[in-house]
Amino acid sequence: MRKITLLLAGIFIFLCNGPMWAQLPPIENSATIYLQMKKLNVLGSVLYVAAHPDDENNTLLPYLAKGALYKTAYLSLTRGDGGQNLIGDEQGFELGLIRTEELLAARRIDGSGQYFSRAYEFGFSKSADEALHTWDKDKVLADIVWVIRKYQPDILITRFPRDKRAGHGHHWASAILANEAFKAAADPTKFPEQFQYGVKPWQAKRIMWNTYNFGSVNTTANDQLKIEVGGYNPLLGESYGEIGGEARSMHKSQGEGRPRREGSITEYFTTTGGTPPDSTLMDGINITWTRIKGGNAIIPKVNALLQQYDIQHPEHSIPALVEIYHAIQQLPEQNNWTKEKLNEVKDLIVACSGLMAEATSNNEYAVQGQHMQLQFFVNKRLPVAVQLQQISLASEQTILFDTTLHSNLSTNNNIAFDKQFPVALQQPISQPYWLAKPMENVGMFTVTDQTLIGRPESKPAYTATFTFKVDDITFTIQKPVQYKYVDPVRGEVYDPFVVTPPVVVGLQPNVALNNVIRNGKPIPTPDMHLQLQANYNAASVPVTFQLRQGTNVVYSKDTVLQFENGKNYAWSVPLNRVFQTNQSQIIQPSVTLPVLGQKETYHYNLKRIAYNHIPTIHYFYTDSVKVITEPIKVVGTKVGYVAGAGDKLPEAIQQLGYSVQMLQEQDITDEKLRQFDAVIIGIRAYNIHEFLTTKNDILNRYIYNGGNLIIQYFKSNYINNKPVKAGPYAFLVNGSPRVTEENSPVQFVLPKHSVLNYPNTITEKDFEGWVQERSTYQAQTNDTHFEMPLQMHDSGEAPSKGSLLIAPYGKGNVAYVSLVLFRQLPAGVPGAYKLMANLIALPKHN
């Protein structure tokens, strides 16, 4: 099977400027090998806990993992699903998938591990109570306890305090939960159902808060424990501040690029549970081999290994490593630490041998019911006596391939061969495990397999196991099967190997407006576009397409297709042919065809998300079209749009019947702009495109001459440390309030304002069914030119009018819109479409 080249869902590729090696195997050199040898004598562990990707302290983590040489990990309660995306248009769980991989890319740099809970990042929260209410508090607490019991940290560190100083309700809640879990993990009466999976109660020595000085909030104090973490590591050739800058810059979807910091960096800590330390984080904790019965015999062996290490010939250390391996095996006490150190020694033997083993495919996809061709490769690059004994391939518990070799490997000689395997029709598709089942509520992913909880990613579809013998030690190297290819720009790339159904089926658009009216006449109703992609070759395949509203089949088509792998087959289906009701409903597709002699029905589409700084992401979903039948009136025909930070409004505006032209810097001219009824600026565009500020005079002339400029929210009044200029009148968004309760009441302060009446009458009903939030980064102004027709607020807060500002200027209008229309329109909220139509149609002035 050749590579699938076209997918039904949109493929969005963004060429990020950054490290390309996130998808390459780790590179070990003599210096990093020596550092790992030093770590053999350190038996201390730290778990850092916060709420989101980018909450972690990116200087502290590399100091702990590569400086102090502690086993270090970060537990992020969420995957960052509810934020904004500065590199693409993904939102919600798609953004969470990206940020998951960005965290893993950061961990590959700083040397730490990564864990998650089942909590969904549902957007900005103003209190811990709201966060804990929206999440299932007991389940998130159970997840933290589970990770603690499996990981067994000596100390826990939280990033935030347990009060409103945390700034974000999720931050606040993460500290509350971590401190509760610190005690609950040691209590055998708490979550006892976890013990059947092999964990035991675990009491960490202490939990500490890593205090901070962020902007105007300084929580550090001289009486707190102070640790210098900015030191230079000559083995790595960089300081922990420099490593931290590299790791932080992997959070590209958040625009978190940071400098590589040199010089002294002090971190502050205060104890919130357990025994306070005197001078170091690990005070009172035995982090040497003497914490294990008989372990004191290991210390001199590791010291001798370090003293005799030959940087030119790491292979000379293998006899000493074999001796250490046996000594650890023979200790009378076996626990998590002995298992951890045996794995570290095994990894060192592999590194000192220059041993490389992999299983790869030339194709990105394995198709259920078809065959896959895999390549196996082994090379021992240094002169060490190593025997390759066995290679096997497994999917879950099924062994597909197992061969005994007993081959003595010669130095730097490639062993490579191909082998074909059947892909079972029942082979699970490659779905992120937390997306495999519908969410329990708006705050929690559904994961019923306890062993998956906490894992950053799903298990690989196929795993190859290579068994080697060095001296008298037999050990295995397990490698996921990966898709390996050479990109003409990026060079060699490793990406996930994905199991896909024989066909994927799509239905577009996501939202369809079935009753748009212009000049008193309905505009033509849109067609739905039904697509099928074949993932294998076959002749004369009888196929049945169906569209459903719930359980009712509203459209069916039988046809016979000549399948060509990677080819798309598309049909247009007029909406009125399948939609017979005047109530909005959701339509979903399915396709039935014979596979291996039996009829199978498929309904999944496949989304592929590709950015250079992270591995390619795939997930499956069922396409749907939400049909809105509520009448929506529009005025005008043509809209210009300046793209911001990844919103999906242009497609929604096209659904309103407008011709939408995307505008670049060179398009911001008087002559170009005069053709548009409205020019809409994407979210955060003023914080991304400096040309919007430098060309503000041109935009103001456009307004003055009769145009409507609609400015969606921006985050601050600065770009590149320069003031933003937006529109003819001044307004401020820095530090402005947000309305995060999506069902908060909306008051019509100016009920007769045109934006609430023309061409659509806006009522309270139009603010029903909103998702995630009402308004973000609201505006503040004393300029009397602005009219503020709406007022809203979160519970317990003062009312705010900053969600919508409109001012006439010359013949046209300028509007600042912090209402989160960029979330509501893709979600198919009818009232949001009516509001957007009214903004575009703001009346001209004489």
Side-chain angles (χ1 to χ4, degrees):
M1 186 199 77
R2 61 181 177 84
K3 176 186 172 184
I4 296 174
T5 56
L6 181 63
L7 302 176
L8 298 179
I11 300 176
F12 185 77
I13 300 176
F14 188 97
L15 300 180
C16 294
N17 293 321
M20 300 285 191
W21 46 262
Q23 295 97 301
L24 292 177
I27 298 173
E28 299 286 356
N29 57 45
S30 285
T32 59
I33 289 172
Y34 184 73
L35 193 66
Q36 291 303 308
M37 288 178 174
K38 291 180 65 177
K39 191 172 184 176
L40 286 178
N41 260 345
V42 180
L43 282 70
S45 57
V46 179
L47 181 64
Y48 200 90
V49 184
H52 310 119
D54 91 343
D55 284 349
E56 76 272 31
N57 186 327
N58 289 109
T59 300
L60 179 63
L61 290 184
Y63 165 78
L64 295 172
K66 296 187 173 185
L69 300 178
Y70 303 142
K71 182 183 175 185
T72 305
Y74 174 44
L75 168 58
S76 176
L77 298 192
T78 76
R79 296 175 184 267
D81 322 81
Q84 280 79 53
N85 184 358
L86 296 184
I87 61 174
D89 64 0
E90 296 86 3
Q91 296 178 14
F93 68 83
E94 287 187 351
L95 181 57
L97 290 167
I98 292 170
R99 292 187 174 176
T100 294
E101 293 298 337
E102 289 179 335
L103 270 181
L104 290 171
R107 299 295 80 81
R108 285 188 283 269
I109 293 171
D110 63 34
S112 303
Q114 182 64 54
Y115 295 94
F116 293 95
S117 83
R118 288 172 287 179
Y120 178 78
E121 206 257 278
F122 56 85
F124 188 82
S125 175
K126 295 182 177 179
S127 71
D129 287 343
E130 181 193 21
L132 296 174
H133 175 75
T134 305
W135 296 336
D136 186 321
K137 178 188 175 182
D138 286 343
K139 288 184 178 179
V140 181
L141 179 61
D143 291 355
I144 303 172
V145 168
W146 168 256
V147 172
I148 291 173
R149 286 171 173 171
K150 281 184 65 69
Y151 188 75
Q152 297 186 358
D154 292 310
I155 65 171
L156 278 76
I157 301 176
T158 65
R159 188 41 163 163
F160 299 105
R162 292 170 287 177
D163 54 47
K164 63 182 180 181
R165 290 176 297 172
H168 191 312
H170 297 173
H171 296 168
W172 186 349
S174 72
I176 291 172
L177 289 167
N179 278 272
E180 289 187 19
F182 170 74
K183 297 178 180 178
D187 186 343
T189 68
K190 301 294 186 182
F191 311 110
E193 67 279 2
Q194 295 178 356
F195 300 140
Q196 65 183 299
Y197 298 98
V199 298
K200 297 178 180 179
W202 178 260
Q203 179 64 71
K205 182 72 172 180
R206 62 180 61 96
I207 181 169
M208 308 189 76
W209 168 31
N210 178 199
T211 61
Y212 49 80
N213 184 358
F214 294 159
S216 61
V217 180
N218 185 0
T219 62
T220 64
N222 285 330
D223 61 350
Q224 296 172 357
L225 176 67
K226 294 185 281 292
I227 304 291
E228 166 57 39
V229 302
Y232 176 77
N233 190 321
L235 289 174
L236 301 175
E238 52 188 347
S239 71
Y240 306 114
E242 290 173 306
I243 297 170
E246 294 173 17
R248 189 71 174 185
S249 296
M250 298 311 293
H251 295 299
K252 297 183 187 300
S253 67
Q254 304 188 67
E256 284 291 316
R258 290 293 186 269
R260 291 163 45 86
R261 294 195 295 168
E262 299 84 7
S264 176
I265 301 171
T266 303
E267 292 293 336
Y268 294 75
F269 303 86
T270 185
T271 305
T272 59
T275 307
D278 293 325
S279 58
T280 72
L281 292 172
M282 290 290 179
D283 276 349
I285 302 170
N286 185 351
I287 62 170
T288 74
W289 278 102
T290 59
R291 72 185 295 170
I292 298 174
K293 184 177 180 180
N296 57 328
I298 306 296
I299 299 173
K301 297 181 184 297
V302 175
N303 289 339
L305 173 74
L306 293 168
Q307 291 170 3
Q308 297 166 12
Y309 181 62
D310 185 344
I311 196 168
Q312 295 287 340
H313 296 282
E315 69 274 15
H316 293 173
S317 295
I318 287 180
L321 287 167
V322 169
E323 182 182 352
I324 293 170
Y325 191 92
H326 284 311
I328 296 173
Q329 281 184 316
Q330 293 164 9
L331 289 175
E333 178 186 351
Q334 296 291 314
N335 57 25
N336 271 21
W337 274 118
T338 54
K339 181 179 178 181
E340 178 76 18
K341 294 303 176 180
L342 283 172
N343 285 331
E344 289 181 16
V345 174
K346 181 189 75 173
D347 291 343
L348 281 167
I349 291 173
V350 171
C352 289
S353 304
L355 192 58
M356 179 180 177
E358 65 181 28
T360 60
S361 171
N362 292 331
N363 297 302
E364 190 167 14
Y365 303 100
V367 180
Q368 293 172 326
Q370 303 302 305
H371 286 81
M372 60 182 180
Q373 189 85 7
L374 301 184
Q375 295 78 48
F376 296 87
F377 179 87
V378 176
N379 186 316
K380 183 210 63 169
R381 292 168 289 182
L382 290 174
V384 182
V386 177
Q387 186 181 78
L388 172 60
Q389 293 193 319
Q390 195 171 28
I391 300 176
S392 64
L393 179 74
S395 177
E396 296 183 339
Q397 304 302 317
T398 303
I399 304 297
L400 302 178
F401 172 62
D402 197 350
T403 181
T404 302
L405 297 172
H406 296 299
S407 172
N408 293 318
L409 299 179
S410 57
T411 301
N412 206 27
N413 183 50
N414 294 339
I415 295 179
F417 61 91
D418 293 8
K419 190 170 180 61
Q420 189 179 79
F421 301 93
V423 181
L425 191 59
Q426 296 75 31
Q427 175 71 24
I429 58 175
S430 298
Q431 183 78 324
Y433 73 85
W434 60 98
L435 302 181
K437 296 181 179 180
M439 292 180 66
E440 298 176 14
N441 53 49
V442 296
M444 294 292 294
F445 291 112
T446 302
V447 181
T448 54
D449 184 344
Q450 180 67 45
T451 65
L452 293 176
I453 291 172
R455 290 179 61 97
E457 296 181 288
S458 295
K459 298 175 182 177
Y462 297 95
T463 301
T465 300
F466 300 84
T467 303
F468 297 97
K469 187 174 183 180
V470 176
D471 203 313
D472 60 348
I473 295 178
T474 299
F475 62 90
T476 61
I477 298 175
Q478 288 192 327
K479 291 295 184 76
V481 174
Q482 293 179 288
Y483 167 48
K484 180 180 177 181
Y485 64 101
V486 177
D487 182 273
V489 175
R490 300 160 63 197
E492 189 173 76
V493 180
Y494 291 75
D495 263 334
F497 185 53
V498 177
V499 177
T500 184
V503 296
V504 290
V505 58
L507 187 63
Q508 296 296 329
N510 295 328
V511 177
L513 306 184
N514 198 33
N515 198 357
V516 178
I517 301 166
R518 178 185 286 118
N519 298 326
K521 299 179 181 180
I523 67 171
T525 56
D527 287 349
M528 291 185 295
H529 302 289
L530 180 63
Q531 296 174 293
L532 176 144
Q533 179 179 287
N535 295 335
Y536 67 104
N537 296 312
S540 301
V541 180
V543 177
T544 299
F545 292 98
Q546 289 186 338
L547 298 179
R548 296 176 179 270
Q549 292 177 0
T551 58
N552 296 324
V553 177
V554 295
Y555 174 83
S556 184
K557 177 181 177 64
D558 292 313
T559 188
V560 176
L561 298 176
Q562 306 297 316
F563 273 3
E564 181 181 339
N565 179 40
K567 184 177 179 180
N568 271 353
Y569 306 85
W571 295 265
S572 293
V573 183
L575 190 60
N576 288 338
R577 284 186 58 185
V578 301
F579 202 77
Q580 305 297 329
T581 176
N582 59 3
Q583 294 183 349
S584 299
Q585 290 195 25
I586 294 175
I587 298 174
Q588 294 183 320
S590 67
V591 60
T592 302
L593 67 156
V595 181
L596 298 182
Q598 54 186 319
K599 280 194 172 182
E600 300 286 342
T601 298
Y602 300 96
H603 56 89
Y604 280 130
N605 203 347
L606 172 61
K607 181 67 177 288
R608 182 180 189 270
I609 303 172
Y611 296 94
N612 280 357
H613 67 298
I614 55 177
T616 301
I617 298 165
H618 299 80
Y619 76 91
F620 293 89
Y621 66 102
T622 300
D623 248 333
S624 63
V625 175
K626 182 174 183 179
V627 183
I628 298 174
T629 59
E630 186 170 344
I632 301 175
K633 300 174 184 178
V634 297
V635 174
T637 59
K638 200 166 186 181
V639 169
Y641 200 95
V642 178
D647 64 62
K648 298 181 179 180
L649 261 65
E651 296 90 341
I653 297 167
Q654 287 175 330
Q655 279 292 314
L656 283 166
Y658 290 100
S659 170
V660 179
Q661 182 175 339
M662 303 305 293
L663 302 179
Q664 309 298 326
E665 180 175 1
Q666 64 270 20
D667 299 317
I668 308 301
T669 65
D670 294 292
E671 182 179 359
K672 184 80 170 182
L673 297 184
R674 67 168 57 103
Q675 64 181 297
F676 300 114
D677 298 290
V679 171
I680 302 176
I681 310 299
I683 58 175
R684 292 196 183 188
Y686 277 90
N687 301 130
I688 299 172
H689 305 307
E690 192 170 348
F691 70 81
L692 289 173
T693 291
T694 60
K695 293 194 172 188
N696 188 53
D697 289 344
I698 297 174
L699 292 167
N700 286 344
R701 284 198 297 271
Y702 164 74
I703 304 168
Y704 192 84
N705 291 325
N708 289 332
L709 181 67
I710 301 167
I711 301 171
Q712 294 183 83
Y713 89 91
F714 49 85
K715 191 174 182 180
S716 75
N717 287 83
Y718 289 91
I719 177 172
N720 300 327
N721 296 319
K722 301 175 185 177
V724 161
K725 293 181 181 179
Y729 308 119
F731 58 93
L732 181 70
V733 296
N734 292 353
S736 301
R738 302 165 69 166
V739 181
T740 63
E741 298 171 7
E742 60 272 11
N743 58 354
S744 61
V746 178
Q747 294 178 283
F748 295 2
V749 180
L750 301 174
K752 295 183 179 181
H753 195 284
S754 61
V755 79
L756 302 177
N757 295 280
Y758 178 78
N760 303 283
T761 300
I762 304 298
T763 68
E764 292 180 357
K765 184 176 181 296
D766 293 305
F767 288 92
E768 295 177 359
W770 282 44
V771 298
Q772 187 160 324
E773 52 196 340
R774 280 275 193 237
S775 181
T776 184
Y777 299 105
Q778 298 189 103
Q780 301 175 31
T781 185
N782 294 320
D783 195 304
T784 57
H785 291 95
F786 282 111
E787 298 170 309
M788 293 172 275
L790 300 177
Q791 180 172 281
M792 59 191 71
H793 63 91
D794 282 333
S795 302
E797 295 188 355
S800 169
K801 298 179 182 179
S803 63
L804 178 59
L805 276 64
I806 300 173
Y809 181 65
K811 296 179 181 180
N813 304 274
V814 61
Y816 175 78
V817 186
S818 71
L819 295 167
V820 288
L821 299 182
F822 74 96
R823 295 194 191 279
Q824 312 314 316
L825 295 176
V829 177
Y833 279 92
K834 292 167 68 176
L835 270 170
M836 178 56 75
N838 285 12
L839 285 164
I840 294 171
L842 286 170
K844 305 297 185 283
H845 309 282
N846 295 325

